């Protein structure tokens, strides 16, 4: 946790390496699920920013650190500001309770490693 | 499940009656939490519609039918259309998997009892 | 939910009937687990009241209505007052967040059907 | 819960009706997920019986009654006997703990409404 | 995991640093939630020891390692002995099942780094 | 994550060390639960391979990395091939959704450290 940018780089590296290994295994159901997951956040009736914020809130209440990191990266790419991020955090905290707090701490540490909106 | 509007009326009645009983019990922590919960979805850096959609997605992946019903009602009040609702459902379904489906079925039944956007 | 005492009677009846059916099936692992579960709340280094309150808090954050009902009955038998119950509820609510609320409402309705402490 | 066969019929009816309503809504991600879900249990490297037992165990530890009912029906169609069902239940009970018990009771009640293996 | 006391010191340092960063962000809902969380375990109708044991059991069944560490520290400060800790662990294990075991292992390692009761 | 075999060795070492510490504490309920857990996967009406696959699927949807590692080791010992493993993963992924993916990545990394079937 000492270097947010190194953590982000390590996260990205492991994620890409293992996604490639999973895809190479050739299980059709898994590969189709990955394709579905990639498209689920595309803009449609709802814009990409709103969908990333939903993905972020869902990831926080389910307490999935890697999912949170991914949606923080994507939400920032969609222009979500720090103030908006903390409002999204606040909704997840109220819905999910104090067990969300350890993940919130790590999310804020991750946010420090991302470029400003 | 046979009459969505009767189900909604029953939900609202039980919710209000028990909220009153809880508040009357006078536990300060609980009453403050309820106040916090009520304010968490107020417009701020994010608008109320976005927050309700986040609350809806979080409720679906956590598989809380009453929470889903509440956020469906509120999201509809904020003007969320059927198409937008189904996109929110699709994000929750991909994040939470097939165990979300029974709650999705009940959500769609509830939606049939709500006024159009 | 209209008659808490009838709900409690129905809960007890179904619970006893199905526990008997499960035991009769003769699966050794299941039957041993049931025996372990029954003894886990016996007084030891911690008294039965404390253990029932722990079981109640755990059941609320895991959002298991039948488990909550069972521990409400047992906690009341151990002399837990309404004020103590609501303090236990408040801990569960802060730990587990707003998704605990629907279960809290049903817990308070169940409490109304139990004899006073 | 008084009539397992009527409960099963009601489950099937609501499931089919709402699945049709969901499909008719035309959300591509949701419809593709449903197709993926339907194929996930097809025989492949593992036979259908093994996959249904995995789906059953996963549904029990996640405490999804409708999912459990569905996999009980399918597992029985694949020839799973009562004794095998209870062994599957025992694995889920040990993995998921006593909060699985209320779902186990309802699973056993459902099993009583299914034809013998 | 090789040095329980170093792990505890690292946990405390990260916790305090990030709590300060969260508070400095100035989100009112989050800051109020933190205040509520801090007060939820104060002695009231139930004493602090009982509340910490409830918080510990809830944290174990929800499988939140940081929450477990926090409540182990606080429970020990309230005089909870090793024997009482293991009884609390046993309730959480029976309620939450074998998936609690990895967290139990880490809890016991943490306990070795705490002063005796 | 850089060396799967070193990770496996570290996992085994910590697991055995802490299991011994837990058993030495002498809590009867905990020790009986561990005995029950050890026997739950013994061949009976269902064979050991099927039970390990159920344990693996349950561990993945509950997102317990240590549990997944344990069942991967045991499933491999029972002769489960890579292709069968990925089919088990696919069932868990569809049931549990995209939040299973980070655990799937780590599972595939672990699998690389195990001997071939």
């Amino acid at each position: 946790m000492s270097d947010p940018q190194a953590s982000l780089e390590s996260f990205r590296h492991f994620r890409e390496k293992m996604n490639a290994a999973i895809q190479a295994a050739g299980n059709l159901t898994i590969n189709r699920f990955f394709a579905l997951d990639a498209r689920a956040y595309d803009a449609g009736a709802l814009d990409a920013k709103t969908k990333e914020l939903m993905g972020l809130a869902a990831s926080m209440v389910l307490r999935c650190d890697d999912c949170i990191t991914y949606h923080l990266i994507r939400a920032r790419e969609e222009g979500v500001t720090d103030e908006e991020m903390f409002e999204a955090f606040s909704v997840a905290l109220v819905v999910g309770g104090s067990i969300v707090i350890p993940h919130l701490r790590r999310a804020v540490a991750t946010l420090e490693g991302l470029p400003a909106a």
Side-chain angles (χ1 to χ4, degrees), chain A residues 17-67:
Chain A
K17 181 180 148 195
M18 298 319 300
N19 280 6
I22 290 166
Q23 193 165 355
N27 181 287
L28 194 60
T29 301
I30 293 178
N31 289 355
R32 283 186 178 163
F33 187 94
F34 272 67
L36 205 54
D37 182 35
R39 297 182 47 147
Y41 301 94
D42 287 352
L46 297 169
D47 58 30
K49 178 180 165 180
T50 301
K51 285 181 156 182
E52 287 300 334
L53 288 168
M54 286 192 294
L56 177 59
S59 299
M60 292 193 88
V61 299
L62 288 174
R63 304 159 47 209
C64 172
D65 284 328
D66 283 2
C67 313

Side-chain angles (χ1 to χ4, degrees), chain A residues 98-114:
Chain A
S98 68
I99 48 158
V100 170
I101 292 178
H103 306 273
L104 172 58
R105 288 189 195 112
R106 291 190 280 269
V108 173
T110 299
L111 200 55
E112 292 175 358
L114 294 176

